[in-house]
Amino acid sequence: MNICVVGAGYVGLVTGTVFADLGNEVTCVDKLGGKINALRAGRMPIYEPGLEEMVARNTADGRLSFTTDLASAVRRAEIVFIAVGTPPKADGDTDLSAVEEAAKGIGAAMDRYMVVVNKSTVPVGTGDFVRDVILRYQTQRVPFDVVSNPEFLREGSAIEDTLRPDRIVIGAPSQQVAMTLLELYAPLERPMIITDVHSAEMIKYASNAFLALKISFMNTIANVCEAAGADVTQVTKGVGLDARIGPAFLNAGLGYGGSCFPKDTDSLIHTAARLGHDFGILRAVVEVNRRRVPQFVEKITKVLAPLEDKVIAVLGLAFKPNTDDIRDAKSVDLIRLLWATGATIRAYDPVAVDNARAVLPASVRYASSAYEAAEGADAVVLVTEWNEFKAINLERLRVLMRRPLVFDGRNLWEPERMLRVGVEYYSIGRKPVVPSL
Ligand code: NAD
């Protein structure tokens, strides 16, 4: 099939590349000329394991190309995917201006029947909106259909998730229209749900809101564990083994961040309110999450105060491991709060430093390894659970530090190991480790 993907970001670039890998002819369109030029030169605008190789292979074979010319890409396509950003507005509503702009361009270029697929995460009813915009901007009266096909990939494992998703959701106005997407996805041999457009749009928000709820729930349990002297990692194991609950998304920590959960929970609260429903449980989820970093900074301050003259090494800046994405990353909130106390911040991340530099205070220093960050530091604060931190040499870390003190925001390390090595250790929902001198 000939496919056009509008928006060559995390979602558009990955799905477009996977579609090409399945044998389709794909053109990825982005309005950023710099991004398109970089992609044409084989440079990836994002870090995503396996992406560079797959892009190279498919561009070399002539199945994948990149352009800023939306009109010509649309005219060649049978299916056009919209995969542009849908950022939050200040009031929690979803900014649909990029979706609208894409729909205008598609409408203006359309010269024969095609299926327009919304892959961006958009509030229920946006399919109708996209339809209206296309109708208004069409220069030729040709029929078209709008389908909702929400994306569930996770950054850091985006290729794998796109090749082997838990399910593929297709919200279409008729079975016949759904068949186009069924055909496209058939080679993946994954479970598919065919439904109406509104329900498909809701599935995405309901899923993300429920996952966010699991996280905030367990983080609240962690607070209670801490107060009671219980161990949240044991509680998590015991809870997660219940098949009705499952172990995923139960790890206590600094809460959820990234470009999806925070905005999607806010958006659903907003949509529900617009439709006359107060989504109180979800507002509580958001509030619990908002308090995670300030509570952690309080913990750090209690142990380390005053912070003005202290050097704090922050390990991990990306909002989660295996990505360079720092949108709504907990590291950013944490560093800003610590920095405001006058502490000196030395940060390290395997791949996200360039992105972090653009948003963090200019006085933050960046190290080229975890050990370099920890050298002479009064405390190490773990924010992102990269594998390389898990395997860190704690003895070496202890020797390098001015004070062997670790705050673990993701329960990455074992308290027993810290005790053995002689590191003072504070984690989430577990007893602190204070080795005797
Ligand atoms: P992104 O910011 O990485 O990419 C969006 C791209 O669209 C950018 O490159 C931007 O330049 C381009 N763009 C914007 N307007 C355009 C236009 N009019 N014409 C052409 N290009 C345009 O965003 P993303 O992370 O890929 O997310 C895209 C959508 O997918 C969002 O709705 C998001 O909520 C959803 N989503 C994201 C993820 C994720 O993990 N990132 C997962 C599932 C769903």
Side-chain angles (χ1 to χ4, degrees):
M1 276 185 215
N2 197 310
I3 296 168
C4 165
V5 181
V6 187
Y10 285 88
V11 167
L13 180 57
V14 171
T15 45
T17 304
V18 168
F19 285 147
D21 214 50
L22 294 175
N24 300 288
E25 264 183 56
V26 180
T27 310
C28 289
V29 181
D30 205 285
K31 62 176 186 180
L32 300 178
K35 191 176 257 193
I36 292 302
N37 287 339
L39 282 164
R40 281 178 171 164
R43 288 193 308 277
M44 294 305 105
I46 54 169
Y47 171 80
E48 191 58 51
L51 180 64
E52 191 167 346
E53 299 78 355
M54 201 183 256
V55 169
R57 185 168 68 240
N58 285 285
T59 42
D61 290 351
R63 284 188 300 269
L64 179 64
S65 60
F66 303 99
T67 182
T68 52
D69 184 355
L70 175 72
S72 59
V74 167
R75 284 195 197 108
R76 279 196 302 273
E78 293 149 74
I79 309 181
V80 181
F81 281 86
I82 299 178
V84 298
T86 47
K89 291 184 189 169
D91 65 356
D93 195 5
T94 302
D95 180 350
L96 289 174
S97 54
V99 171
E100 184 175 8
E101 200 187 323
K104 282 181 190 172
I106 294 165
M110 205 179 258
D111 57 2
R112 66 198 146 77
Y113 174 80
M114 61 182 57
V115 178
V116 179
V117 186
N118 219 336
K119 200 166 243 321
S120 297
T121 304
V122 290
V124 57
T126 303
D128 305 332
F129 170 70
V130 166
R131 191 175 175 80
D132 289 347
V133 175
I134 292 176
L135 278 173
R136 258 189 289 129
Y137 283 84
Q138 267 188 337
T139 46
Q140 298 180 47
R141 281 279 160 243
V142 287
F144 67 95
D145 282 296
V146 177
V147 171
S148 166
N149 171 222
E151 182 52 58
F152 298 93
L153 66 76
R154 297 161 300 176
E155 289 174 24
S157 54
I159 299 260
E160 178 62 21
D161 290 347
T162 309
L163 286 169
R164 269 171 284 279
D166 289 342
R167 76 301 206 187
I168 295 159
V169 175
I170 300 169
S174 71
Q175 198 72 19
Q176 197 193 340
V177 175
M179 280 309 291
T180 315
L181 274 269
L182 266 171
E183 217 178 285
L184 175 65
Y185 282 113
L188 297 181
E189 297 179 355
R190 303 303 296 168
M192 297 200 209
I193 294 184
I194 315 287
T195 183
D196 60 283
V197 175
H198 286 192
S199 303
E201 290 168 338
M202 276 304 293
I203 288 171
K204 175 65 189 177
Y205 282 98
S207 303
N208 274 5
F210 192 76
L211 292 172
L213 178 136
K214 280 184 101 175
I215 294 169
S216 279
F217 181 85
M218 222 52 203
N219 280 335
T220 307
I221 293 286
N223 288 350
V224 180
C225 283
E226 239 168 78
D231 181 336
V232 76
T233 50
Q234 296 301 316
V235 175
T236 302
K237 259 186 221 156
V239 171
L241 282 171
D242 187 324
R244 294 167 303 175
I245 298 173
F249 281 77
L250 285 185
N251 287 342
L254 293 177
Y256 59 81
S259 70
C260 291
F261 282 11
K263 82 168 167 60
D264 293 350
T265 43
D266 283 347
S267 175
L268 184 52
I269 291 168
H270 198 277
T271 302
R274 181 166 51 77
L275 297 170
H277 296 279
D278 176 13
F279 210 147
I281 190 170
L282 196 52
R283 282 194 288 104
V285 165
V286 170
E287 181 54 22
V288 167
N289 196 59
R290 193 192 59 75
R291 287 203 302 260
R292 293 312 286 164
V293 166
Q295 280 169 354
F296 197 57
V297 169
E298 269 170 39
K299 192 184 275 187
I300 296 170
T301 310
K302 236 188 231 167
V303 179
L304 199 58
L307 296 186
E308 295 99 73
D309 54 347
K310 301 296 184 337
V311 177
I312 299 179
V314 175
L315 302 189
L317 297 167
F319 88 91
K320 67 174 184 176
N322 299 323
T323 179
D324 61 351
D325 196 350
I326 55 130
R327 291 179 287 182
D328 250 314
K330 292 294 174 184
S331 64
V332 176
D333 296 348
L334 180 110
I335 286 174
R336 283 193 183 134
L337 284 179
L338 289 174
W339 176 81
T341 66
T344 300
I345 309 294
R346 219 184 284 144
Y348 167 69
D349 188 281
V351 298
V353 166
D354 286 346
N355 286 341
R357 219 186 278 275
V359 297
L360 287 174
S363 63
V364 172
R365 294 283 158 257
Y366 298 91
S368 56
S369 72
Y371 301 109
E372 190 188 315
E375 201 170 344
D378 297 283
V380 159
V381 179
L382 184 287
V383 182
T384 315
E385 63 277 35
W386 283 93
N387 261 341
E388 72 169 70
F389 299 148
K390 176 93 182 150
I392 209 164
N393 182 335
L394 290 171
E395 280 89 357
R396 185 171 163 205
L397 202 74
R398 176 177 55 78
V399 173
L400 284 170
M401 295 177 71
R402 184 149 65 190
R403 176 176 171 183
L405 171 62
V406 170
F407 296 91
D408 180 352
R410 302 289 178 187
N411 288 350
L412 183 67
W413 294 299
E414 294 308 319
E416 298 73 26
R417 202 168 143 219
M418 291 292 176
L419 187 65
R420 246 181 291 127
V421 178
V423 170
E424 192 177 345
Y425 178 64
Y426 298 84
S427 53
I428 306 281
R430 304 189 290 190
K431 286 184 196 147
V433 171
V434 185
S436 46
L437 298 170

